Amino acid sequence: MEKAAKNEEIVNQSVLISHQKSKNRTKSGKKWLQPQASIPHRLYVGISIASVVLLLAVWSLLTFTGMVDPLFLPTPVDIVHSGITLFTDYGFINDIGITIYRVLAGFLIAVVIGLPLGILMGTFKVVEAFFEPIISAIRYMPASAFIPLFILWIGVGELEKITIIFVGSFFSLVLMVAVEVGNVRRELLEAAYTLGRTRIGVLRSVILPASLPGIMEILRLILGWAWSYIIVAELVASASGIGSLILESQRMLKTGNIIFGIVTIGVLGLLSDLILKVCIRKAFPWHYGR
């Protein structure tokens, strides 16, 4: 009797453990679908790779089967061949270098001028009251609308293209930085004043450290916008750069070159975004470890 009771207890424990493991697996599966719930890194990478493979598969299906005319959408193999030809016969690497220079120049000028102005607007209401109406109004004006004026004022050289990148980045950057700085918790400022900090001391030791991670994320976002404006800058009166190549390829009906140029801009933008993302996480590990 005792032996039978022990065996029955062991069986019940095994069933209970098995049921608990199954329940945990179910909870884990449901957790992946919860808002902002984390998933295993391998699963994340796998899903990302699967999405790219699916895109290539659909693209290949549409092109290799002849469902889409090659004039409108070449096959992936044709795109690769177009890229090799651009690098070997047309000096595409020089166009890439020129485009990178224009994007970074316009973006960095916007940062040098706009970052301090945004911090001041977010810190002092007097500065915000003076600049915010003008900057908000200009922000809604598309950068491409200024191209005729820029050509009239400064010609069609490098400065005109850099200015377009600057205008497309500057005004949004200033307002977003001002909002980020203005969202610093009031309790932190009051605590700093209680401890005897001066106004400049509060700005230096409280406002800037609290808002800097968010500001860097804003710069990362604005850099992506700068890459989108480079096409606008290089499509008009330009003899070099990826945008110029795209326009010339459109005239010659070289769809493969057009798509390869667009993909190149996307890859360059993605690389710059990843580099800046890694630098931000290295500089502020305490912020992203929350």
Side-chain angles (χ1 to χ4, degrees), residues 16-267:
L16 182 61
I17 292 173
S18 177
H19 178 71
Q20 187 65 33
K21 288 183 178 179
S22 176
K23 187 176 180 180
N24 290 337
R25 285 195 296 266
T26 303
K27 286 184 177 180
S28 178
K30 291 182 178 179
K31 183 180 178 181
W32 296 347
L33 300 178
Q34 291 179 358
Q36 297 186 354
S38 61
I39 62 175
H41 180 69
R42 289 185 179 181
L43 178 62
Y44 187 95
V45 174
I47 294 175
S48 300
I49 295 175
S51 66
V52 177
V53 172
L54 179 61
L55 175 62
L56 291 176
V58 173
W59 183 2
S60 300
L61 177 64
L62 294 175
T63 54
F64 283 113
T65 59
M67 297 175 63
V68 178
D69 193 315
L71 177 63
F72 300 104
L73 183 63
T75 66
V77 175
D78 292 335
I79 300 298
V80 174
H81 289 165
S82 297
I84 294 174
T85 302
L86 287 175
F87 279 108
T88 56
D89 297 340
Y90 294 95
F92 189 55
I93 190 67
N94 294 326
D95 291 316
I96 292 177
I98 292 172
T99 295
I100 293 175
Y101 160 73
R102 290 167 178 167
V103 171
L104 293 182
F107 171 73
L108 291 177
I109 295 174
V111 171
V112 170
I113 301 176
L115 186 57
L117 180 57
I119 292 173
L120 291 175
M121 287 178 58
T123 305
F124 304 106
K125 291 297 182 181
V126 174
V127 180
E128 178 184 345
F130 184 82
F131 286 102
E132 198 271 339
I134 300 174
I135 294 178
S136 294
I138 299 178
R139 182 171 70 97
Y140 289 103
M141 301 178 187
S144 56
F146 290 92
I147 292 179
L149 280 177
F150 292 156
I151 294 177
L152 179 63
W153 290 344
I154 56 182
V156 294
E158 290 298 311
L159 182 59
E160 179 260 344
K161 297 166 182 57
I162 293 174
T163 303
I164 294 175
I165 303 296
F166 168 80
V167 171
S169 307
F170 173 77
F171 299 99
S172 295
L173 185 151
V174 171
L175 292 179
M176 293 174 71
V177 170
V179 171
E180 179 68 25
V181 173
N183 285 336
V184 174
R185 293 168 53 190
R186 184 68 183 177
E187 295 85 352
L188 298 177
L189 305 183
E190 293 175 351
Y193 286 128
T194 302
L195 294 175
R197 288 286 185 177
T198 62
R199 296 173 184 176
I200 300 300
V202 168
L203 174 62
R204 185 178 65 253
S205 61
V206 178
I207 294 178
L208 289 181
S211 60
L212 201 53
I215 290 176
M216 295 304 298
E217 290 291 350
I218 291 172
L219 297 185
R220 180 181 158 205
L221 177 64
I222 296 297
L223 179 58
W225 293 357
W227 278 107
S228 65
Y229 281 112
I230 189 60
I231 291 297
V232 176
E234 292 183 340
L235 283 181
V236 179
S238 178
S240 59
I242 300 176
S244 174
L245 172 75
I246 291 175
L247 181 61
E248 183 179 351
S249 299
Q250 181 265 332
R251 292 169 180 165
M252 304 297 294
L253 297 179
K254 295 182 178 180
T255 312
N257 291 357
I258 296 174
I259 295 178
F260 189 82
I262 295 172
V263 171
T264 301
I265 292 178
V267 171

